[in-house]
Amino acid sequence: MSSQTSQLDGESLQVTRCRQGDGDALAELRERCQNSLLGILLSRGADRTEAEDLLADLWADCVPGQDDRPSILEKFSGKCTLQGWLATVATNRWVDRKRKQSRYVDPGRDGNKENDYLNRLEAASYASEDTLIALLRECLKAAFALCAPEARVLLRLVYLHELSQREIVQMLGWSESKVSRFLSKAMEEIERHTLAEVKKRDAWLELNWQDFVELCETHQIGFM
Amino acid sequence: MAERLQILLKFLERFDDEVQGRELSEPGEDTKIKLQRFARGTLTDEEQTEIFILLDRHPDWTAWLAKEVKQLRAGQ
């Protein structure tokens, strides 16, 4: 049994206990993950107060029965690490909160209660569990759109449909080194354009390429 | 790096709202012949450019092409 499989099995037991409202399991989970989640949120651009507030809410939502709601851990599929999943949920909430704040316009002294209400309503309607998915998707799509059609097609053939680079060589009549260089350059461009697009959309969000890919992977396999 | 790109492409496949709900279409007979020639490596440079543009507009046809290449692989 690999160490990762055994880690996932151990976490699965802990998650089951947490979902049932086991206080010791919830405390253990918090003890184990609080500092690393705090570090992740700080590295992604949150300030300490924002990060601590978010995590306090996150731990509260792990407890079943709050406002008659099940624990948010019910949504954890068990196919990725629990810490990675919690980091994704926390990042989604933080992005959502920052966007709400940036869209909320303080009506000030001259503002009236009706405008205040409308501003809050608009901000609330913008909030969604899918905020982060939409951001990741739109940034990736924008990056792919900047590639040449040849690059998009070859990347799909090699990395989605698993053709070998040798097969691409035979199809195109290119040298192996040309195919390899072409694919590497396309991947580098996607990385650069994707991260530039993140900055353009949410300048306060600090994501490196590893973070971006991990968030995509967790969304793909980590949620029920 | 390859594994990362695979993750990103699969993420887009799953969450792209333009892809979701779109019916997978089969290429027409003329296109199939061109794709078979592409798989065998017998297209000219100009024909390759045309087929890249076509496949880019119909990403689901790359699956058909990949299947064709894999069949050739199996036959070798």
Side-chain angles (χ1 to χ4, degrees):
Chain A
M1 189 190 290
S2 73
S3 62
Q4 198 184 1
T5 312
S6 119
Q7 186 192 351
L8 293 180
D9 286 347
E11 284 187 346
S12 166
L13 271 176
Q14 189 177 29
V15 168
T16 305
R17 288 169 58 207
C18 290
R19 283 172 181 160
Q20 291 164 351
D22 181 330
D24 290 341
L26 286 158
E28 273 171 36
L29 180 63
R30 184 181 174 138
E31 175 72 20
R32 182 162 67 87
C33 297
Q34 169 76 14
N35 285 342
S36 49
L37 291 177
L38 189 64
I40 289 169
L41 285 172
L42 295 176
S43 74
R44 291 181 180 171
D47 66 34
R48 184 163 285 274
T49 311
E50 285 172 333
E52 286 175 345
D53 281 356
L54 269 165
L55 291 178
D57 289 345
L58 183 69
W59 297 127
D61 290 343
C62 286
V63 181
Q66 303 273 326
D67 300 325
D68 288 332
R69 281 183 302 194
S71 161
I72 54 158
L73 293 170
E74 295 289 345
K75 293 181 185 171
F76 175 57
S77 73
K79 291 178 184 163
C80 61
T81 64
L82 182 54
Q83 184 174 293
W85 186 82
L86 288 166
T88 301
V89 173
T91 304
N92 183 55
R93 289 179 172 199
W94 177 58
V95 171
D96 217 29
R97 196 174 286 189
K98 288 292 278 187
R99 285 187 172 181
K100 274 200 277 184
Q101 284 168 356
S102 63
R103 286 170 68 92
Y104 172 68
V105 183
D106 188 345
R109 284 184 183 180
D110 299 331
N112 59 40
K113 281 192 176 172
E114 191 184 357
N115 278 342
D116 183 20
Y117 172 76
L118 289 173
N119 284 329
R120 283 175 190 277
L121 200 63
E122 188 189 6
S125 70
Y126 194 66
S128 153
E129 276 194 359
D130 296 339
T131 302
L132 193 56
I133 292 179
L135 172 70
L136 300 171
R137 183 187 62 217
E138 295 312 318
C139 292
L140 259 184
K141 280 177 72 175
F144 273 97
L146 289 170
C147 287
E150 286 90 338
R152 282 194 293 270
V153 171
L154 290 183
L155 289 171
R156 290 178 72 86
L157 284 172
V158 173
Y159 298 111
L160 200 58
H161 300 297
E162 297 175 347
L163 295 193
S164 68
Q165 291 195 24
R166 184 169 287 272
E167 283 164 333
I168 300 296
V169 165
Q170 286 164 356
M171 288 165 68
L172 298 178
W174 293 1
S175 68
E176 274 195 51
S177 61
K178 184 176 174 183
V179 171
S180 174
R181 275 199 312 272
F182 185 88
L183 291 171
S184 296
K185 191 171 167 241
M187 286 193 282
E188 281 165 19
E189 280 180 11
I190 286 169
E191 175 179 339
R192 189 162 46 86
H193 292 313
T194 303
L195 293 179
E197 195 64 29
V198 172
K199 273 282 151 216
K200 203 166 91 185
R201 287 163 189 256
D202 292 303
W204 35 265
L205 181 58
E206 301 285 344
L207 286 187
N208 61 33
W209 192 229
Q210 171 92 14
D211 291 332
F212 190 94
V213 176
E214 278 176 9
L215 288 169
C216 288
E217 186 174 32
T218 307
H219 272 300
Q220 198 182 306
I221 62 172
F223 286 80
M224 298 287 262
Chain B
M1 205 176 209
E3 196 191 341
R4 286 180 173 183
L5 203 87
Q6 222 164 18
I7 290 167
L8 299 177
L9 285 168
K10 285 182 179 168
F11 172 84
L12 273 185
E13 285 276 294
R14 177 161 173 197
F15 292 109
D16 190 350
D17 42 10
E18 284 176 22
V19 173
Q20 285 173 357
R22 185 198 287 168
E23 278 184 38
L24 290 181
S25 63
E26 275 238 332
E29 288 308 311
D30 288 353
T31 309
K32 278 184 183 173
I33 291 167
K34 266 203 170 161
L35 290 175
Q36 282 165 339
R37 287 183 53 218
F38 190 32
R40 287 178 171 79
T42 58
L43 287 188
T44 64
D45 286 354
E46 277 180 11
E47 286 173 319
Q48 280 183 13
T49 305
E50 280 171 27
I51 213 84
F52 273 128
I53 292 168
L54 199 65
L55 285 171
D56 192 40
R57 283 189 197 143
H58 300 275
D60 43 327
W61 293 357
T62 55
W64 196 92
L65 173 63
K67 207 169 110 190
E68 199 62 28
V69 175
K70 285 173 188 172
Q71 276 173 357
L72 284 176
R73 184 201 295 172
Q76 277 170 356

